[in-house]
Amino acid sequence: MELSKNFEPQAIENKWYRQWLDKGYFKSVPDNREAYTIVMPPPNVTGVLHMGHALNNTIQDILIRRARMEGKNACWVPGTDHASIATEAKVVGMLREKGITKSSLSREDFLNHAWEWKDKYGGIILQQLKKLGFSLDWDRTRFTMDKDYYESVIKVFVQLYQKGLIYRGKRMIHWDTKALTALSDEEVIRKETKQKLYHIQYAVEASQEKITIATVRPETIMGDSAIAVHPNDERYKHLHGKYALVPIINRRIPIITDEYVTMDFGTGALKVTPAHDMNDNMLGQKHGLEVIDIFNDDGTLSKEAQIYIGEDRFAARKKIAQELEEKKYLIKTEEYTSEVGYSERTDTVVEPRLSMQWWLSMKEISKPALRDVMEEAIKFYPAKFKNLYRHWMENIKDWCISRQLWWGHRIPAWYDADGNIVVAESEAEAIEKYKTNYPGATNGTLRQDEDCLDTWFSSWLWPFEVFNGYSNPGNEEVKYYYPTSTLVTAPEIIFFWVARMIMAGEEFMNVKPFKDVYFTGIVRDKLGRKMSKSLGNSPDLLGLIDQYGADAVRFGVMIASPAGNDILFDESALEQGRNFNNKMWNALKLVKMWEGRQANNAANEKENFAINWFENRLNEVKEEVAGMMLQYRLSEALKTIYSLVWDDFCSWYLEWVKPGFEQPVDALLFQKTKDFFSELMQLLHPFMPFVTEEIYQLLDERNDSLCIKQLSKHAKADTDILQKGEALKNIISGIRDIRNKQQVKPKESIELFIETADTSLYLGIENLLGKQVNASNISFTETAIAGAISAVIGKDKFFIKSETPIDTGSQKQSLEKELAHLKGFLSSVEKKLGNEKFVANARPEVLALEQKKKADAESKIKVIEESLAAL
């Protein structure tokens, strides 16, 4: 079989993914092995694959594939989230294109359209995930509105209500004027926003005096209920207890005092609008002020505003500012920057407003979740996120769990005409409860609450309910797979989801939901900007997979993605991944060329050293990678394997064992080389599954797959052989560099003389060294060799004789440069060792290392000075 010039990923990826699925390699059922479980953070059904998904799921796949190869029963559960706000917006948009409004439909008809949309588009992202080779157990695919999952969400609501943790109340909430729903605090993104600060005069009743307030929201003056000043502010003491008139509408409002007011901000006088500001609402409650809601649900002015009725709030702001200016109420405007809340889903400026909503009391339910993380029953990687988590959990507020939407889990509460409430799992149960709870009620017709639950109220059950842990407690699967092993997620949903899953796990399963949490970074562009459609900096991920291949994309997102740190995405990383594929492919072609050229002579000393060195180098990296994987240092692990394959195997080992032109290759060496190559592919497989499987299968006839091939135990690396190999590489590189500088052609053979205090270093590697530097003869000497090029490599002196005339000037210049560098290095080491504080506090091994550096530098300086003297 003739191999292509370069690795061609498309056909190979489709072939292997289909075969892995057909063989059932990703399928998991409970057995007697140790379980390793990951539940995928369910992407929205509206989602399309982007770089964040690629990073998050590549990390999960690496962990799952590695666990599978370690003999664990690896189970990776896929699924999607119904995403109330995002999906309802998509459905409303689809209907609008057909000339249909949501308000013209019954709830049932709208939901029929929503399910139709979900069935058509909702699974696209899961199909796209397959393009990257993710080894999910697709038979386990779940959806947060599957029938049994839906029923569990409703049961959870009822259970928490019965415990007194869920209640209904009118409180200030964040209102999304585009999605027309309440939002929780965590769904509001604070952004620095440039605004204008308007200084507006209010007339003081029955006087010629004016009082000036400063506000960024002149459109809300019609909702003002008071003006507040600090009781100690001398400027306003004479106005305590008096009244002011709201500009334009002339409504009479009191001037009140409160220490909440900051005297040196703005004018020191604060307009109080209880219906449209969180802090004003608290002031309003404290002073018993009237609450005047001047906005409709969509952010337009209501009839309570009296003016500009039906105008959008921002359009009204401009018009009111203009009218205030024309009527001499507006005395000045200045530029002002402050934080403004935006909807996380629709990017609309949220509107604080009083609203009747359903709430979950968080104080008690959050305590076990805080304890789990702070006592490290659940470990965060990186650990820096513990403090962020602790701060939020210790200052947690009640969770607004109701949303004014139809797509989602409908709140299981029923009302009669008098406002009496019953909470039940079904309408039939609600009717029975109503009869029991309200035996004398006359308005007995019940209607169910129109709202649905916050999306996160369903996804907080995800780790156990994907195994029906709540709906079918104690079933075989949840006992085996739960708690799960690792959660991989983004830090921006640490409160939305991570904290709440821990709460749910402790509340409903009496045990934590996972052991470890790995936080990814945010994928940003080269300028550090978050990727978004509006900036046009979000690459077409499917296009990149087609262009570079899935392995190269996986490599590109992982090579520079340490846990918790943001990734500056650069397409050159994908090019590096593609080049890596081709490097391994060319190595395969080289090894395949040796087939049919084997000779059964015993491998000579050169080949034995190469085998011994690489075997130990492979064992050393296996040990390093195993440690890195346990610490979730996945990016470092990939870099380490990359260096082993590219540098040690391709650039050194294969070069050392490569037979001469048309020369046979030792059969033992050929088999060992194929074995090494196979082990490398196994080590790299979790990171780059397609290219590694293809090469592994082409190296030998196989009846297994890297997907399920178990990692073998590795021996401890021999440090003496590794040091000898490192020294050999340095010597070869050094001599090649000297040849190049002295313009000795590669084909010209040289004589090599070595002056060393330790000839044993060269035992067994002389022939290999001679071949690599094209030396016809290697001998040891105790004196300088006249007429030879001299150089110092490590502690040893090397003399090179060739037919090319020596450029002593160049050689002297090179040695003097090296001497100056070493003297500078020695000075810095001596300075450190001369520091009494350093010597007193340094660990013994650190001190010993510095002393060794000093001795080595002194030894090298002496050798170079002798070489210069000889010149």
PDB file of all heavy atoms in Angstrom, residues 60-80:
ATOM      1  N   GLN A  60     -12.630  16.976  27.895  1.00  0.00           N
ATOM      2  CA  GLN A  60     -13.396  15.842  28.411  1.00  0.00           C
ATOM      3  C   GLN A  60     -13.027  14.552  27.678  1.00  0.00           C
ATOM      4  O   GLN A  60     -12.883  13.484  28.290  1.00  0.00           O
ATOM      5  CB  GLN A  60     -14.896  16.111  28.247  1.00  0.00           C
ATOM      6  CG  GLN A  60     -15.422  17.228  29.138  1.00  0.00           C
ATOM      7  CD  GLN A  60     -16.873  17.543  28.844  1.00  0.00           C
ATOM      8  OE1 GLN A  60     -17.759  16.777  29.197  1.00  0.00           O
ATOM      9  NE2 GLN A  60     -17.129  18.670  28.194  1.00  0.00           N
ATOM     10  N   ASP A  61     -12.857  14.649  26.361  1.00  0.00           N
ATOM     11  CA  ASP A  61     -12.537  13.455  25.578  1.00  0.00           C
ATOM     12  C   ASP A  61     -11.156  12.908  25.933  1.00  0.00           C
ATOM     13  O   ASP A  61     -10.955  11.691  26.001  1.00  0.00           O
ATOM     14  CB  ASP A  61     -12.604  13.775  24.080  1.00  0.00           C
ATOM     15  CG  ASP A  61     -12.649  12.524  23.218  1.00  0.00           C
ATOM     16  OD1 ASP A  61     -13.332  11.550  23.618  1.00  0.00           O
ATOM     17  OD2 ASP A  61     -12.008  12.494  22.154  1.00  0.00           O
ATOM     18  N   ILE A  62     -10.199  13.817  26.174  1.00  0.00           N
ATOM     19  CA  ILE A  62      -8.864  13.380  26.585  1.00  0.00           C
ATOM     20  C   ILE A  62      -8.949  12.595  27.890  1.00  0.00           C
ATOM     21  O   ILE A  62      -8.353  11.520  28.025  1.00  0.00           O
ATOM     22  CB  ILE A  62      -7.923  14.600  26.746  1.00  0.00           C
ATOM     23  CG1 ILE A  62      -7.616  15.223  25.372  1.00  0.00           C
ATOM     24  CG2 ILE A  62      -6.624  14.203  27.441  1.00  0.00           C
ATOM     25  CD1 ILE A  62      -6.998  16.603  25.454  1.00  0.00           C
ATOM     26  N   LEU A  63      -9.693  13.123  28.846  1.00  0.00           N
ATOM     27  CA  LEU A  63      -9.829  12.458  30.151  1.00  0.00           C
ATOM     28  C   LEU A  63     -10.535  11.114  30.013  1.00  0.00           C
ATOM     29  O   LEU A  63     -10.128  10.117  30.629  1.00  0.00           O
ATOM     30  CB  LEU A  63     -10.596  13.360  31.113  1.00  0.00           C
ATOM     31  CG  LEU A  63      -9.922  14.694  31.487  1.00  0.00           C
ATOM     32  CD1 LEU A  63     -10.880  15.561  32.295  1.00  0.00           C
ATOM     33  CD2 LEU A  63      -8.637  14.455  32.270  1.00  0.00           C
ATOM     34  N   ILE A  64     -11.592  11.073  29.218  1.00  0.00           N
ATOM     35  CA  ILE A  64     -12.367   9.835  29.038  1.00  0.00           C
ATOM     36  C   ILE A  64     -11.547   8.780  28.304  1.00  0.00           C
ATOM     37  O   ILE A  64     -11.508   7.596  28.703  1.00  0.00           O
ATOM     38  CB  ILE A  64     -13.679  10.137  28.280  1.00  0.00           C
ATOM     39  CG1 ILE A  64     -14.739  10.671  29.243  1.00  0.00           C
ATOM     40  CG2 ILE A  64     -14.212   8.907  27.547  1.00  0.00           C
ATOM     41  CD1 ILE A  64     -15.330   9.651  30.202  1.00  0.00           C
ATOM     42  N   ARG A  65     -10.880   9.164  27.231  1.00  0.00           N
ATOM     43  CA  ARG A  65     -10.074   8.190  26.471  1.00  0.00           C
ATOM     44  C   ARG A  65      -8.929   7.644  27.320  1.00  0.00           C
ATOM     45  O   ARG A  65      -8.624   6.451  27.283  1.00  0.00           O
ATOM     46  CB  ARG A  65      -9.542   8.826  25.183  1.00  0.00           C
ATOM     47  CG  ARG A  65     -10.599   8.988  24.094  1.00  0.00           C
ATOM     48  CD  ARG A  65     -10.021   9.618  22.838  1.00  0.00           C
ATOM     49  NE  ARG A  65     -11.015   9.790  21.791  1.00  0.00           N
ATOM     50  CZ  ARG A  65     -11.337   8.887  20.862  1.00  0.00           C
ATOM     51  NH1 ARG A  65     -10.718   7.715  20.882  1.00  0.00           N
ATOM     52  NH2 ARG A  65     -12.255   9.130  19.950  1.00  0.00           N
ATOM     53  N   ARG A  66      -8.296   8.520  28.064  1.00  0.00           N
ATOM     54  CA  ARG A  66      -7.190   8.074  28.934  1.00  0.00           C
ATOM     55  C   ARG A  66      -7.721   7.093  29.993  1.00  0.00           C
ATOM     56  O   ARG A  66      -7.103   6.059  30.252  1.00  0.00           O
ATOM     57  CB  ARG A  66      -6.559   9.302  29.605  1.00  0.00           C
ATOM     58  CG  ARG A  66      -5.499   8.981  30.638  1.00  0.00           C
ATOM     59  CD  ARG A  66      -4.126   8.878  30.088  1.00  0.00           C
ATOM     60  NE  ARG A  66      -3.165   8.496  31.115  1.00  0.00           N
ATOM     61  CZ  ARG A  66      -1.868   8.381  30.928  1.00  0.00           C
ATOM     62  NH1 ARG A  66      -1.361   8.633  29.724  1.00  0.00           N
ATOM     63  NH2 ARG A  66      -1.058   8.011  31.896  1.00  0.00           N
ATOM     64  N   ALA A  67      -8.859   7.418  30.611  1.00  0.00           N
ATOM     65  CA  ALA A  67      -9.442   6.531  31.618  1.00  0.00           C
ATOM     66  C   ALA A  67      -9.788   5.171  31.017  1.00  0.00           C
ATOM     67  O   ALA A  67      -9.561   4.124  31.640  1.00  0.00           O
ATOM     68  CB  ALA A  67     -10.697   7.175  32.219  1.00  0.00           C
ATOM     69  N   ARG A  68     -10.336   5.192  29.807  1.00  0.00           N
ATOM     70  CA  ARG A  68     -10.698   3.948  29.117  1.00  0.00           C
ATOM     71  C   ARG A  68      -9.449   3.091  28.883  1.00  0.00           C
ATOM     72  O   ARG A  68      -9.479   1.865  29.041  1.00  0.00           O
ATOM     73  CB  ARG A  68     -11.369   4.298  27.784  1.00  0.00           C
ATOM     74  CG  ARG A  68     -12.166   3.172  27.154  1.00  0.00           C
ATOM     75  CD  ARG A  68     -12.820   3.657  25.871  1.00  0.00           C
ATOM     76  NE  ARG A  68     -13.995   4.486  26.104  1.00  0.00           N
ATOM     77  CZ  ARG A  68     -14.174   5.713  25.612  1.00  0.00           C
ATOM     78  NH1 ARG A  68     -13.233   6.264  24.844  1.00  0.00           N
ATOM     79  NH2 ARG A  68     -15.269   6.383  25.884  1.00  0.00           N
ATOM     80  N   MET A  69      -8.341   3.747  28.540  1.00  0.00           N
ATOM     81  CA  MET A  69      -7.091   3.030  28.273  1.00  0.00           C
ATOM     82  C   MET A  69      -6.399   2.576  29.555  1.00  0.00           C
ATOM     83  O   MET A  69      -5.493   1.752  29.518  1.00  0.00           O
ATOM     84  CB  MET A  69      -6.158   3.924  27.451  1.00  0.00           C
ATOM     85  CG  MET A  69      -6.713   4.232  26.056  1.00  0.00           C
ATOM     86  SD  MET A  69      -5.884   5.622  25.247  1.00  0.00           S
ATOM     87  CE  MET A  69      -4.394   4.843  24.693  1.00  0.00           C
ATOM     88  N   GLU A  70      -6.845   3.136  30.696  1.00  0.00           N
ATOM     89  CA  GLU A  70      -6.311   2.709  31.997  1.00  0.00           C
ATOM     90  C   GLU A  70      -7.119   1.562  32.593  1.00  0.00           C
ATOM     91  O   GLU A  70      -6.875   1.150  33.722  1.00  0.00           O
ATOM     92  CB  GLU A  70      -6.302   3.897  32.966  1.00  0.00           C
ATOM     93  CG  GLU A  70      -5.258   4.948  32.629  1.00  0.00           C
ATOM     94  CD  GLU A  70      -5.384   6.196  33.487  1.00  0.00           C
ATOM     95  OE1 GLU A  70      -6.477   6.405  34.076  1.00  0.00           O
ATOM     96  OE2 GLU A  70      -4.413   6.963  33.574  1.00  0.00           O
ATOM     97  N   GLY A  71      -8.107   1.076  31.843  1.00  0.00           N
ATOM     98  CA  GLY A  71      -8.896  -0.061  32.310  1.00  0.00           C
ATOM     99  C   GLY A  71     -10.149   0.307  33.067  1.00  0.00           C
ATOM    100  O   GLY A  71     -10.850  -0.570  33.590  1.00  0.00           O
ATOM    101  N   LYS A  72     -10.455   1.597  33.139  1.00  0.00           N
ATOM    102  CA  LYS A  72     -11.674   2.012  33.837  1.00  0.00           C
ATOM    103  C   LYS A  72     -12.874   1.911  32.903  1.00  0.00           C
ATOM    104  O   LYS A  72     -12.720   1.943  31.674  1.00  0.00           O
ATOM    105  CB  LYS A  72     -11.521   3.448  34.340  1.00  0.00           C
ATOM    106  CG  LYS A  72     -10.427   3.607  35.400  1.00  0.00           C
ATOM    107  CD  LYS A  72     -10.150   5.067  35.708  1.00  0.00           C
ATOM    108  CE  LYS A  72      -8.970   5.203  36.668  1.00  0.00           C
ATOM    109  NZ  LYS A  72      -8.537   6.603  36.821  1.00  0.00           N
ATOM    110  N   ASN A  73     -14.034   1.802  33.492  1.00  0.00           N
ATOM    111  CA  ASN A  73     -15.279   1.775  32.721  1.00  0.00           C
ATOM    112  C   ASN A  73     -15.689   3.224  32.484  1.00  0.00           C
ATOM    113  O   ASN A  73     -16.352   3.847  33.303  1.00  0.00           O
ATOM    114  CB  ASN A  73     -16.363   1.015  33.490  1.00  0.00           C
ATOM    115  CG  ASN A  73     -17.597   0.767  32.650  1.00  0.00           C
ATOM    116  OD1 ASN A  73     -17.776   1.350  31.584  1.00  0.00           O
ATOM    117  ND2 ASN A  73     -18.468  -0.115  33.126  1.00  0.00           N
ATOM    118  N   ALA A  74     -15.250   3.755  31.352  1.00  0.00           N
ATOM    119  CA  ALA A  74     -15.429   5.180  31.062  1.00  0.00           C
ATOM    120  C   ALA A  74     -16.799   5.439  30.460  1.00  0.00           C
ATOM    121  O   ALA A  74     -17.169   4.844  29.453  1.00  0.00           O
ATOM    122  CB  ALA A  74     -14.335   5.658  30.110  1.00  0.00           C
ATOM    123  N   CYS A  75     -17.534   6.348  31.095  1.00  0.00           N
ATOM    124  CA  CYS A  75     -18.882   6.682  30.642  1.00  0.00           C
ATOM    125  C   CYS A  75     -18.985   8.196  30.488  1.00  0.00           C
ATOM    126  O   CYS A  75     -18.853   8.938  31.466  1.00  0.00           O
ATOM    127  CB  CYS A  75     -19.910   6.189  31.662  1.00  0.00           C
ATOM    128  SG  CYS A  75     -21.623   6.599  31.223  1.00  0.00           S
ATOM    129  N   TRP A  76     -19.201   8.636  29.259  1.00  0.00           N
ATOM    130  CA  TRP A  76     -19.331  10.069  28.972  1.00  0.00           C
ATOM    131  C   TRP A  76     -20.726  10.289  28.402  1.00  0.00           C
ATOM    132  O   TRP A  76     -21.046   9.814  27.323  1.00  0.00           O
ATOM    133  CB  TRP A  76     -18.237  10.503  28.002  1.00  0.00           C
ATOM    134  CG  TRP A  76     -18.175  11.980  27.750  1.00  0.00           C
ATOM    135  CD1 TRP A  76     -18.779  12.967  28.453  1.00  0.00           C
ATOM    136  CD2 TRP A  76     -17.440  12.633  26.699  1.00  0.00           C
ATOM    137  NE1 TRP A  76     -18.475  14.197  27.920  1.00  0.00           N
ATOM    138  CE2 TRP A  76     -17.659  14.028  26.850  1.00  0.00           C
ATOM    139  CE3 TRP A  76     -16.637  12.180  25.663  1.00  0.00           C
ATOM    140  CZ2 TRP A  76     -17.093  14.959  25.983  1.00  0.00           C
ATOM    141  CZ3 TRP A  76     -16.064  13.111  24.809  1.00  0.00           C
ATOM    142  CH2 TRP A  76     -16.293  14.477  24.969  1.00  0.00           C
ATOM    143  N   VAL A  77     -21.537  11.032  29.168  1.00  0.00           N
ATOM    144  CA  VAL A  77     -22.966  11.178  28.839  1.00  0.00           C
ATOM    145  C   VAL A  77     -23.205  12.476  28.057  1.00  0.00           C
ATOM    146  O   VAL A  77     -22.912  13.566  28.559  1.00  0.00           O
ATOM    147  CB  VAL A  77     -23.831  11.180  30.112  1.00  0.00           C
ATOM    148  CG1 VAL A  77     -25.310  11.304  29.751  1.00  0.00           C
ATOM    149  CG2 VAL A  77     -23.572   9.917  30.935  1.00  0.00           C
ATOM    150  N   PRO A  78     -23.769  12.383  26.848  1.00  0.00           N
ATOM    151  CA  PRO A  78     -24.102  13.589  26.083  1.00  0.00           C
ATOM    152  C   PRO A  78     -25.532  14.052  26.358  1.00  0.00           C
ATOM    153  O   PRO A  78     -26.332  13.318  26.941  1.00  0.00           O
ATOM    154  CB  PRO A  78     -23.970  13.113  24.635  1.00  0.00           C
ATOM    155  CG  PRO A  78     -24.360  11.665  24.686  1.00  0.00           C
ATOM    156  CD  PRO A  78     -23.985  11.150  26.067  1.00  0.00           C
ATOM    157  N   GLY A  79     -25.830  15.245  25.911  1.00  0.00           N
ATOM    158  CA  GLY A  79     -27.195  15.735  26.045  1.00  0.00           C
ATOM    159  C   GLY A  79     -27.285  17.207  25.701  1.00  0.00           C
ATOM    160  O   GLY A  79     -26.280  17.870  25.447  1.00  0.00           O
ATOM    161  N   THR A  80     -28.508  17.711  25.700  1.00  0.00           N
ATOM    162  CA  THR A  80     -28.735  19.124  25.394  1.00  0.00           C
ATOM    163  C   THR A  80     -29.677  19.731  26.425  1.00  0.00           C
ATOM    164  O   THR A  80     -30.468  19.034  27.061  1.00  0.00           O
ATOM    165  CB  THR A  80     -29.331  19.314  23.984  1.00  0.00           C
ATOM    166  OG1 THR A  80     -30.461  18.446  23.832  1.00  0.00           O
ATOM    167  CG2 THR A  80     -28.313  19.036  22.898  1.00  0.00           C
TER     168      THR A  80
END
